[in-house]
mmCIF file of all heavy atoms in Angstrom:
data_model
loop_
_atom_site.group_PDB
_atom_site.id
_atom_site.type_symbol
_atom_site.label_atom_id
_atom_site.label_comp_id
_atom_site.label_asym_id
_atom_site.label_seq_id
_atom_site.Cartn_x
_atom_site.Cartn_y
_atom_site.Cartn_z
ATOM 1 N N GLN A 26 3.930 -4.398 5.000
ATOM 2 C CA GLN A 26 3.109 -5.488 4.490
ATOM 3 C C GLN A 26 3.100 -6.726 5.384
ATOM 4 O O GLN A 26 2.510 -7.736 5.020
ATOM 5 C CB GLN A 26 3.601 -5.910 3.093
ATOM 6 C CG GLN A 26 3.752 -4.767 2.126
ATOM 7 C CD GLN A 26 2.453 -4.034 1.872
ATOM 8 O OE1 GLN A 26 1.432 -4.655 1.630
ATOM 9 N NE2 GLN A 26 2.469 -2.721 1.946
ATOM 10 N N ARG A 27 3.732 -6.698 6.553
ATOM 11 C CA ARG A 27 3.852 -7.883 7.403
ATOM 12 C C ARG A 27 2.522 -8.213 8.070
ATOM 13 O O ARG A 27 2.013 -7.439 8.878
ATOM 14 C CB ARG A 27 4.926 -7.682 8.472
ATOM 15 C CG ARG A 27 6.325 -7.367 7.967
ATOM 16 C CD ARG A 27 7.070 -8.535 7.388
ATOM 17 N NE ARG A 27 7.359 -9.579 8.331
ATOM 18 C CZ ARG A 27 8.506 -9.725 8.968
ATOM 19 N NH1 ARG A 27 9.494 -8.873 8.786
ATOM 20 N NH2 ARG A 27 8.677 -10.737 9.783
ATOM 21 N N PRO A 28 1.942 -9.375 7.748
ATOM 22 C CA PRO A 28 0.624 -9.700 8.298
ATOM 23 C C PRO A 28 0.630 -9.851 9.818
ATOM 24 O O PRO A 28 -0.359 -9.510 10.470
ATOM 25 C CB PRO A 28 0.255 -11.021 7.618
ATOM 26 C CG PRO A 28 1.545 -11.592 7.159
ATOM 27 C CD PRO A 28 2.438 -10.416 6.868
ATOM 28 N N GLU A 29 1.723 -10.332 10.399
ATOM 29 C CA GLU A 29 1.750 -10.490 11.855
ATOM 30 C C GLU A 29 1.650 -9.148 12.560
ATOM 31 O O GLU A 29 1.029 -9.045 13.621
ATOM 32 C CB GLU A 29 2.993 -11.268 12.325
ATOM 33 C CG GLU A 29 4.310 -10.583 12.092
ATOM 34 C CD GLU A 29 4.892 -10.780 10.700
ATOM 35 O OE1 GLU A 29 4.202 -11.298 9.812
ATOM 36 O OE2 GLU A 29 6.060 -10.394 10.507
ATOM 37 N N LEU A 30 2.187 -8.108 11.945
ATOM 38 C CA LEU A 30 2.075 -6.772 12.530
ATOM 39 C C LEU A 30 0.651 -6.241 12.374
ATOM 40 O O LEU A 30 0.082 -5.672 13.311
ATOM 41 C CB LEU A 30 3.081 -5.823 11.874
ATOM 42 C CG LEU A 30 4.556 -6.184 12.075
ATOM 43 C CD1 LEU A 30 5.452 -5.266 11.246
ATOM 44 C CD2 LEU A 30 4.945 -6.152 13.541
ATOM 45 N N MET A 31 0.074 -6.448 11.192
ATOM 46 C CA MET A 31 -1.301 -5.990 10.963
ATOM 47 C C MET A 31 -2.273 -6.711 11.886
ATOM 48 O O MET A 31 -3.185 -6.093 12.448
ATOM 49 C CB MET A 31 -1.693 -6.200 9.503
ATOM 50 C CG MET A 31 -1.000 -5.252 8.545
ATOM 51 S SD MET A 31 -1.629 -5.401 6.859
ATOM 52 C CE MET A 31 -0.581 -6.693 6.237
ATOM 53 N N LEU A 32 -2.080 -8.016 12.066
ATOM 54 C CA LEU A 32 -2.989 -8.791 12.906
ATOM 55 C C LEU A 32 -2.869 -8.408 14.372
ATOM 56 O O LEU A 32 -3.878 -8.277 15.073
ATOM 57 C CB LEU A 32 -2.730 -10.284 12.711
ATOM 58 C CG LEU A 32 -3.135 -10.829 11.335
ATOM 59 C CD1 LEU A 32 -2.557 -12.212 11.116
ATOM 60 C CD2 LEU A 32 -4.645 -10.828 11.182
ATOM 61 N N ASN A 33 -1.653 -8.232 14.839
ATOM 62 C CA ASN A 33 -1.486 -7.831 16.238
ATOM 63 C C ASN A 33 -2.053 -6.435 16.478
ATOM 64 O O ASN A 33 -2.688 -6.180 17.499
ATOM 65 C CB ASN A 33 -0.029 -7.906 16.659
ATOM 66 C CG ASN A 33 0.412 -9.326 16.955
ATOM 67 O OD1 ASN A 33 -0.379 -10.244 16.963
ATOM 68 N ND2 ASN A 33 1.694 -9.500 17.204
ATOM 69 N N LEU A 34 -1.832 -5.540 15.536
ATOM 70 C CA LEU A 34 -2.385 -4.194 15.680
ATOM 71 C C LEU A 34 -3.911 -4.229 15.626
ATOM 72 O O LEU A 34 -4.581 -3.532 16.396
ATOM 73 C CB LEU A 34 -1.820 -3.270 14.605
ATOM 74 C CG LEU A 34 -2.161 -1.799 14.734
ATOM 75 C CD1 LEU A 34 -1.725 -1.240 16.090
ATOM 76 C CD2 LEU A 34 -1.513 -1.011 13.601
ATOM 77 N N ALA A 35 -4.459 -5.057 14.756
ATOM 78 C CA ALA A 35 -5.918 -5.197 14.695
ATOM 79 C C ALA A 35 -6.459 -5.697 16.032
ATOM 80 O O ALA A 35 -7.508 -5.228 16.499
ATOM 81 C CB ALA A 35 -6.315 -6.153 13.567
ATOM 82 N N ALA A 36 -5.755 -6.636 16.649
ATOM 83 C CA ALA A 36 -6.191 -7.148 17.956
ATOM 84 C C ALA A 36 -6.174 -6.042 19.007
ATOM 85 O O ALA A 36 -7.086 -5.947 19.822
ATOM 86 C CB ALA A 36 -5.291 -8.304 18.391
ATOM 87 N N ILE A 37 -5.151 -5.209 18.962
ATOM 88 C CA ILE A 37 -5.070 -4.080 19.904
ATOM 89 C C ILE A 37 -6.232 -3.113 19.655
ATOM 90 O O ILE A 37 -6.899 -2.673 20.588
ATOM 91 C CB ILE A 37 -3.714 -3.365 19.784
ATOM 92 C CG1 ILE A 37 -2.592 -4.268 20.297
ATOM 93 C CG2 ILE A 37 -3.738 -2.030 20.535
ATOM 94 C CD1 ILE A 37 -1.199 -3.769 19.953
ATOM 95 N N TYR A 38 -6.462 -2.807 18.382
ATOM 96 C CA TYR A 38 -7.577 -1.914 18.058
ATOM 97 C C TYR A 38 -8.902 -2.489 18.556
ATOM 98 O O TYR A 38 -9.719 -1.768 19.124
ATOM 99 C CB TYR A 38 -7.661 -1.680 16.550
ATOM 100 C CG TYR A 38 -6.596 -0.776 15.981
ATOM 101 C CD1 TYR A 38 -6.359 -0.745 14.617
ATOM 102 C CD2 TYR A 38 -5.823 0.060 16.783
ATOM 103 C CE1 TYR A 38 -5.402 0.088 14.065
ATOM 104 C CE2 TYR A 38 -4.859 0.894 16.238
ATOM 105 C CZ TYR A 38 -4.654 0.907 14.873
ATOM 106 O OH TYR A 38 -3.709 1.731 14.325
ATOM 107 N N ALA A 39 -9.113 -3.779 18.348
ATOM 108 C CA ALA A 39 -10.355 -4.404 18.791
ATOM 109 C C ALA A 39 -10.494 -4.317 20.303
ATOM 110 O O ALA A 39 -11.573 -4.016 20.816
ATOM 111 C CB ALA A 39 -10.399 -5.859 18.331
ATOM 112 N N ARG A 40 -9.424 -4.540 21.008
ATOM 113 C CA ARG A 40 -9.462 -4.521 22.477
ATOM 114 C C ARG A 40 -9.634 -3.119 23.042
ATOM 115 O O ARG A 40 -10.026 -2.959 24.192
ATOM 116 C CB ARG A 40 -8.178 -5.125 23.038
ATOM 117 C CG ARG A 40 -8.082 -6.603 22.815
ATOM 118 C CD ARG A 40 -6.795 -7.120 23.359
ATOM 119 N NE ARG A 40 -6.675 -8.541 23.095
ATOM 120 C CZ ARG A 40 -5.724 -9.290 23.588
ATOM 121 N NH1 ARG A 40 -4.802 -8.768 24.370
ATOM 122 N NH2 ARG A 40 -5.675 -10.567 23.299
ATOM 123 N N THR A 41 -9.312 -2.118 22.240
ATOM 124 C CA THR A 41 -9.405 -0.741 22.724
ATOM 125 C C THR A 41 -10.569 0.016 22.075
ATOM 126 O O THR A 41 -10.595 1.242 22.071
ATOM 127 C CB THR A 41 -8.074 0.009 22.504
ATOM 128 O OG1 THR A 41 -7.717 -0.042 21.117
ATOM 129 C CG2 THR A 41 -6.952 -0.596 23.339
ATOM 130 N N GLY A 42 -11.514 -0.743 21.511
ATOM 131 C CA GLY A 42 -12.735 -0.135 21.000
ATOM 132 C C GLY A 42 -12.636 0.532 19.647
ATOM 133 O O GLY A 42 -13.564 1.223 19.238
ATOM 134 N N ARG A 43 -11.562 0.329 18.934
ATOM 135 C CA ARG A 43 -11.410 0.929 17.601
ATOM 136 C C ARG A 43 -11.766 -0.120 16.544
ATOM 137 O O ARG A 43 -10.922 -0.603 15.800
ATOM 138 C CB ARG A 43 -9.993 1.467 17.427
ATOM 139 C CG ARG A 43 -9.721 2.634 18.379
ATOM 140 C CD ARG A 43 -8.302 3.115 18.309
ATOM 141 N NE ARG A 43 -7.475 2.234 19.147
ATOM 142 C CZ ARG A 43 -6.163 2.321 19.229
ATOM 143 N NH1 ARG A 43 -5.503 3.217 18.532
ATOM 144 N NH2 ARG A 43 -5.492 1.501 20.012
ATOM 145 N N VAL A 44 -13.049 -0.438 16.509
ATOM 146 C CA VAL A 44 -13.543 -1.535 15.695
ATOM 147 C C VAL A 44 -13.338 -1.279 14.205
ATOM 148 O O VAL A 44 -12.939 -2.187 13.463
ATOM 149 C CB VAL A 44 -15.030 -1.811 16.016
ATOM 150 C CG1 VAL A 44 -15.615 -2.850 15.091
ATOM 151 C CG2 VAL A 44 -15.165 -2.220 17.475
ATOM 152 N N ALA A 45 -13.595 -0.086 13.734
ATOM 153 C CA ALA A 45 -13.440 0.212 12.305
ATOM 154 C C ALA A 45 -11.989 0.037 11.866
ATOM 155 O O ALA A 45 -11.726 -0.516 10.788
ATOM 156 C CB ALA A 45 -13.912 1.633 12.004
ATOM 157 N N GLU A 46 -11.052 0.475 12.698
ATOM 158 C CA GLU A 46 -9.636 0.331 12.375
ATOM 159 C C GLU A 46 -9.227 -1.138 12.379
ATOM 160 O O GLU A 46 -8.475 -1.592 11.510
ATOM 161 C CB GLU A 46 -8.765 1.121 13.350
ATOM 162 C CG GLU A 46 -8.908 2.629 13.231
ATOM 163 C CD GLU A 46 -9.997 3.203 14.140
ATOM 164 O OE1 GLU A 46 -10.930 2.466 14.534
ATOM 165 O OE2 GLU A 46 -9.933 4.399 14.429
ATOM 166 N N ALA A 47 -9.739 -1.895 13.350
ATOM 167 C CA ALA A 47 -9.453 -3.334 13.407
ATOM 168 C C ALA A 47 -9.999 -4.023 12.157
ATOM 169 O O ALA A 47 -9.300 -4.814 11.517
ATOM 170 C CB ALA A 47 -10.054 -3.949 14.664
ATOM 171 N N ARG A 48 -11.242 -3.713 11.822
ATOM 172 C CA ARG A 48 -11.877 -4.312 10.648
ATOM 173 C C ARG A 48 -11.065 -4.025 9.377
ATOM 174 O O ARG A 48 -10.862 -4.907 8.539
ATOM 175 C CB ARG A 48 -13.307 -3.792 10.508
ATOM 176 C CG ARG A 48 -14.131 -4.517 9.475
ATOM 177 C CD ARG A 48 -15.569 -3.980 9.430
ATOM 178 N NE ARG A 48 -16.228 -3.973 10.717
ATOM 179 C CZ ARG A 48 -16.747 -5.033 11.318
ATOM 180 N NH1 ARG A 48 -16.656 -6.204 10.745
ATOM 181 N NH2 ARG A 48 -17.353 -4.928 12.488
ATOM 182 N N ALA A 49 -10.577 -2.804 9.234
ATOM 183 C CA ALA A 49 -9.803 -2.435 8.045
ATOM 184 C C ALA A 49 -8.502 -3.233 7.958
ATOM 185 O O ALA A 49 -8.110 -3.678 6.865
ATOM 186 C CB ALA A 49 -9.503 -0.934 8.064
ATOM 187 N N LEU A 50 -7.833 -3.434 9.086
ATOM 188 C CA LEU A 50 -6.596 -4.212 9.070
ATOM 189 C C LEU A 50 -6.862 -5.682 8.753
ATOM 190 O O LEU A 50 -6.121 -6.298 7.976
ATOM 191 C CB LEU A 50 -5.854 -4.077 10.400
ATOM 192 C CG LEU A 50 -5.093 -2.764 10.578
ATOM 193 C CD1 LEU A 50 -4.587 -2.643 12.011
ATOM 194 C CD2 LEU A 50 -3.941 -2.670 9.590
ATOM 195 N N TYR A 51 -7.902 -6.251 9.344
ATOM 196 C CA TYR A 51 -8.243 -7.645 9.033
ATOM 197 C C TYR A 51 -8.555 -7.784 7.541
ATOM 198 O O TYR A 51 -8.118 -8.727 6.879
ATOM 199 C CB TYR A 51 -9.425 -8.128 9.872
ATOM 200 C CG TYR A 51 -9.100 -8.357 11.321
ATOM 201 C CD1 TYR A 51 -9.942 -7.878 12.328
ATOM 202 C CD2 TYR A 51 -7.967 -9.072 11.714
ATOM 203 C CE1 TYR A 51 -9.671 -8.110 13.670
ATOM 204 C CE2 TYR A 51 -7.686 -9.301 13.048
ATOM 205 C CZ TYR A 51 -8.540 -8.816 14.032
ATOM 206 O OH TYR A 51 -8.258 -9.043 15.350
ATOM 207 N N ALA A 52 -9.308 -6.841 6.985
ATOM 208 C CA ALA A 52 -9.637 -6.876 5.557
ATOM 209 C C ALA A 52 -8.381 -6.754 4.703
ATOM 210 O O ALA A 52 -8.254 -7.430 3.670
ATOM 211 C CB ALA A 52 -10.628 -5.758 5.219
ATOM 212 N N ASP A 53 -7.447 -5.922 5.130
ATOM 213 C CA ASP A 53 -6.182 -5.756 4.407
ATOM 214 C C ASP A 53 -5.406 -7.073 4.374
ATOM 215 O O ASP A 53 -4.872 -7.457 3.333
ATOM 216 C CB ASP A 53 -5.353 -4.656 5.073
ATOM 217 C CG ASP A 53 -4.213 -4.165 4.198
ATOM 218 O OD1 ASP A 53 -4.126 -4.557 3.020
ATOM 219 O OD2 ASP A 53 -3.395 -3.376 4.707
ATOM 220 N N VAL A 54 -5.363 -7.781 5.488
ATOM 221 C CA VAL A 54 -4.680 -9.080 5.535
ATOM 222 C C VAL A 54 -5.336 -10.043 4.552
ATOM 223 O O VAL A 54 -4.643 -10.780 3.828
ATOM 224 C CB VAL A 54 -4.687 -9.663 6.963
ATOM 225 C CG1 VAL A 54 -4.224 -11.113 6.972
ATOM 226 C CG2 VAL A 54 -3.806 -8.824 7.885
ATOM 227 N N LEU A 55 -6.651 -10.037 4.476
ATOM 228 C CA LEU A 55 -7.371 -10.951 3.591
ATOM 229 C C LEU A 55 -7.151 -10.650 2.117
ATOM 230 O O LEU A 55 -7.299 -11.538 1.276
ATOM 231 C CB LEU A 55 -8.863 -10.946 3.920
ATOM 232 C CG LEU A 55 -9.230 -11.588 5.250
ATOM 233 C CD1 LEU A 55 -10.696 -11.344 5.581
ATOM 234 C CD2 LEU A 55 -8.901 -13.074 5.247
ATOM 235 N N GLN A 56 -6.786 -9.424 1.794
ATOM 236 C CA GLN A 56 -6.540 -9.061 0.406
ATOM 237 C C GLN A 56 -5.135 -9.446 -0.062
ATOM 238 O O GLN A 56 -4.845 -9.396 -1.249
ATOM 239 C CB GLN A 56 -6.775 -7.573 0.199
ATOM 240 C CG GLN A 56 -8.233 -7.219 0.328
ATOM 241 C CD GLN A 56 -8.508 -5.769 -0.011
ATOM 242 O OE1 GLN A 56 -7.672 -5.080 -0.563
ATOM 243 N NE2 GLN A 56 -9.692 -5.306 0.320
ATOM 244 N N ARG A 57 -4.290 -9.850 0.846
ATOM 245 C CA ARG A 57 -2.918 -10.252 0.517
ATOM 246 C C ARG A 57 -2.840 -11.776 0.476
ATOM 247 O O ARG A 57 -3.748 -12.461 0.924
ATOM 248 C CB ARG A 57 -1.956 -9.709 1.567
ATOM 249 C CG ARG A 57 -2.019 -8.203 1.679
ATOM 250 C CD ARG A 57 -1.173 -7.673 2.818
ATOM 251 N NE ARG A 57 -1.442 -6.277 3.034
ATOM 252 C CZ ARG A 57 -1.015 -5.295 2.243
ATOM 253 N NH1 ARG A 57 -0.292 -5.574 1.191
ATOM 254 N NH2 ARG A 57 -1.311 -4.046 2.509
ATOM 255 N N ASP A 58 -1.738 -12.273 -0.036
ATOM 256 C CA ASP A 58 -1.526 -13.718 -0.014
ATOM 257 C C ASP A 58 -1.486 -14.198 1.423
ATOM 258 O O ASP A 58 -0.904 -13.542 2.292
ATOM 259 C CB ASP A 58 -0.207 -14.081 -0.700
ATOM 260 C CG ASP A 58 -0.240 -13.854 -2.201
ATOM 261 O OD1 ASP A 58 -1.344 -13.836 -2.774
ATOM 262 O OD2 ASP A 58 0.844 -13.705 -2.799
ATOM 263 N N GLY A 59 -2.102 -15.342 1.677
ATOM 264 C CA GLY A 59 -2.076 -15.927 3.005
ATOM 265 C C GLY A 59 -0.698 -16.494 3.320
ATOM 266 O O GLY A 59 -0.015 -17.002 2.424
ATOM 267 N N VAL A 60 -0.298 -16.376 4.554
ATOM 268 C CA VAL A 60 0.968 -16.952 5.005
ATOM 269 C C VAL A 60 0.704 -17.695 6.311
ATOM 270 O O VAL A 60 -0.215 -17.361 7.057
ATOM 271 C CB VAL A 60 2.066 -15.893 5.215
ATOM 272 C CG1 VAL A 60 2.417 -15.195 3.913
ATOM 273 C CG2 VAL A 60 1.654 -14.868 6.252
ATOM 274 N N ASP A 61 1.522 -18.713 6.574
ATOM 275 C CA ASP A 61 1.411 -19.435 7.840
ATOM 276 C C ASP A 61 2.136 -18.653 8.916
ATOM 277 O O ASP A 61 3.263 -18.199 8.718
ATOM 278 C CB ASP A 61 2.015 -20.825 7.726
ATOM 279 C CG ASP A 61 1.125 -21.780 6.947
ATOM 280 O OD1 ASP A 61 -0.093 -21.525 6.844
ATOM 281 O OD2 ASP A 61 1.653 -22.783 6.443
ATOM 282 N N LEU A 62 1.479 -18.502 10.041
ATOM 283 C CA LEU A 62 2.042 -17.796 11.185
ATOM 284 C C LEU A 62 2.034 -18.732 12.383
ATOM 285 O O LEU A 62 1.136 -19.556 12.532
ATOM 286 C CB LEU A 62 1.221 -16.547 11.497
ATOM 287 C CG LEU A 62 1.177 -15.500 10.392
ATOM 288 C CD1 LEU A 62 0.152 -14.434 10.706
ATOM 289 C CD2 LEU A 62 2.549 -14.886 10.188
ATOM 290 N N GLU A 63 3.023 -18.586 13.231
ATOM 291 C CA GLU A 63 3.110 -19.410 14.432
ATOM 292 C C GLU A 63 2.435 -18.695 15.593
ATOM 293 O O GLU A 63 2.770 -17.562 15.920
ATOM 294 C CB GLU A 63 4.566 -19.682 14.772
ATOM 295 C CG GLU A 63 4.747 -20.590 15.965
ATOM 296 C CD GLU A 63 6.197 -20.817 16.310
ATOM 297 O OE1 GLU A 63 7.074 -20.626 15.453
ATOM 298 O OE2 GLU A 63 6.458 -21.169 17.470
ATOM 299 N N LEU A 64 1.506 -19.380 16.215
ATOM 300 C CA LEU A 64 0.825 -18.818 17.369
ATOM 301 C C LEU A 64 1.676 -19.006 18.613
ATOM 302 O O LEU A 64 2.632 -19.785 18.618
ATOM 303 C CB LEU A 64 -0.533 -19.487 17.565
ATOM 304 C CG LEU A 64 -1.516 -19.348 16.404
ATOM 305 C CD1 LEU A 64 -2.828 -20.019 16.751
ATOM 306 C CD2 LEU A 64 -1.730 -17.899 16.022
ATOM 307 N N GLY A 65 1.330 -18.308 19.659
ATOM 308 C CA GLY A 65 2.076 -18.384 20.906
ATOM 309 C C GLY A 65 2.143 -19.785 21.478
ATOM 310 O O GLY A 65 3.070 -20.128 22.198
ATOM 311 N N ASP A 66 1.161 -20.636 21.132
ATOM 312 C CA ASP A 66 1.172 -22.013 21.630
ATOM 313 C C ASP A 66 1.983 -22.950 20.744
ATOM 314 O O ASP A 66 2.033 -24.151 20.970
ATOM 315 C CB ASP A 66 -0.258 -22.540 21.791
ATOM 316 C CG ASP A 66 -0.999 -22.684 20.461
ATOM 317 O OD1 ASP A 66 -0.407 -22.490 19.374
ATOM 318 O OD2 ASP A 66 -2.202 -23.000 20.501
ATOM 319 N N GLY A 67 2.616 -22.392 19.699
ATOM 320 C CA GLY A 67 3.466 -23.181 18.810
ATOM 321 C C GLY A 67 2.766 -23.741 17.584
ATOM 322 O O GLY A 67 3.412 -24.269 16.691
ATOM 323 N N SER A 68 1.456 -23.625 17.506
ATOM 324 C CA SER A 68 0.738 -24.126 16.334
ATOM 325 C C SER A 68 0.829 -23.122 15.185
ATOM 326 O O SER A 68 1.048 -21.931 15.400
ATOM 327 C CB SER A 68 -0.726 -24.408 16.679
ATOM 328 O OG SER A 68 -1.383 -23.215 17.049
ATOM 329 N N ASP A 69 0.685 -23.630 13.974
ATOM 330 C CA ASP A 69 0.705 -22.789 12.780
ATOM 331 C C ASP A 69 -0.713 -22.563 12.282
ATOM 332 O O ASP A 69 -1.513 -23.492 12.242
ATOM 333 C CB ASP A 69 1.513 -23.442 11.664
ATOM 334 C CG ASP A 69 2.999 -23.498 11.963
ATOM 335 O OD1 ASP A 69 3.469 -22.669 12.755
ATOM 336 O OD2 ASP A 69 3.681 -24.370 11.406
ATOM 337 N N VAL A 70 -1.007 -21.321 11.890
ATOM 338 C CA VAL A 70 -2.328 -20.966 11.383
ATOM 339 C C VAL A 70 -2.142 -19.966 10.246
ATOM 340 O O VAL A 70 -1.254 -19.113 10.286
ATOM 341 C CB VAL A 70 -3.207 -20.347 12.500
ATOM 342 C CG1 VAL A 70 -4.556 -19.919 11.960
ATOM 343 C CG2 VAL A 70 -3.388 -21.315 13.643
ATOM 344 N N SER A 71 -3.002 -20.052 9.266
ATOM 345 C CA SER A 71 -2.974 -19.125 8.138
ATOM 346 C C SER A 71 -3.339 -17.711 8.590
ATOM 347 O O SER A 71 -4.259 -17.530 9.406
ATOM 348 C CB SER A 71 -3.965 -19.596 7.071
ATOM 349 O OG SER A 71 -4.266 -18.563 6.164
ATOM 350 N N SER A 72 -2.662 -16.738 8.034
ATOM 351 C CA SER A 72 -2.994 -15.336 8.333
ATOM 352 C C SER A 72 -4.440 -15.049 7.953
ATOM 353 O O SER A 72 -5.128 -14.265 8.625
ATOM 354 C CB SER A 72 -2.043 -14.393 7.596
ATOM 355 O OG SER A 72 -2.089 -14.617 6.188
ATOM 356 N N HIS A 73 -4.935 -15.701 6.903
ATOM 357 C CA HIS A 73 -6.326 -15.494 6.487
ATOM 358 C C HIS A 73 -7.302 -16.031 7.534
ATOM 359 O O HIS A 73 -8.313 -15.388 7.820
ATOM 360 C CB HIS A 73 -6.595 -16.162 5.136
ATOM 361 C CG HIS A 73 -6.024 -15.397 3.996
ATOM 362 N ND1 HIS A 73 -6.218 -15.766 2.688
ATOM 363 C CD2 HIS A 73 -5.258 -14.282 3.944
ATOM 364 C CE1 HIS A 73 -5.609 -14.908 1.880
ATOM 365 N NE2 HIS A 73 -5.019 -14.000 2.628
#
């Protein structure tokens, strides 16, 4: 259920042409409670 794993995997899917799989993971994240995640630049952003 970890959104950071789903989001990173969705990004990989998007970059490798697996758009349907990426879309499904992004949709799955949106169906869960939003959480704040730290981006690589140190800023915080909602998983949603």
Side-chain angles (χ1 to χ4, degrees):
Q26 309 299 313
R27 302 285 296 263
E29 65 276 10
L30 297 173
M31 289 187 272
L32 291 167
N33 282 354
L34 188 56
I37 291 168
Y38 286 164
R40 290 179 182 188
T41 56
R43 294 175 278 175
V44 174
E46 292 90 337
R48 190 178 307 282
L50 283 171
Y51 288 134
D53 195 8
V54 169
L55 290 171
Q56 291 186 13
R57 302 174 190 286
D58 291 337
V60 297
D61 285 339
L62 298 170
E63 183 182 339
L64 300 182
D66 66 6
S68 63
D69 291 335
V70 177
S71 163
S72 58
H73 284 184

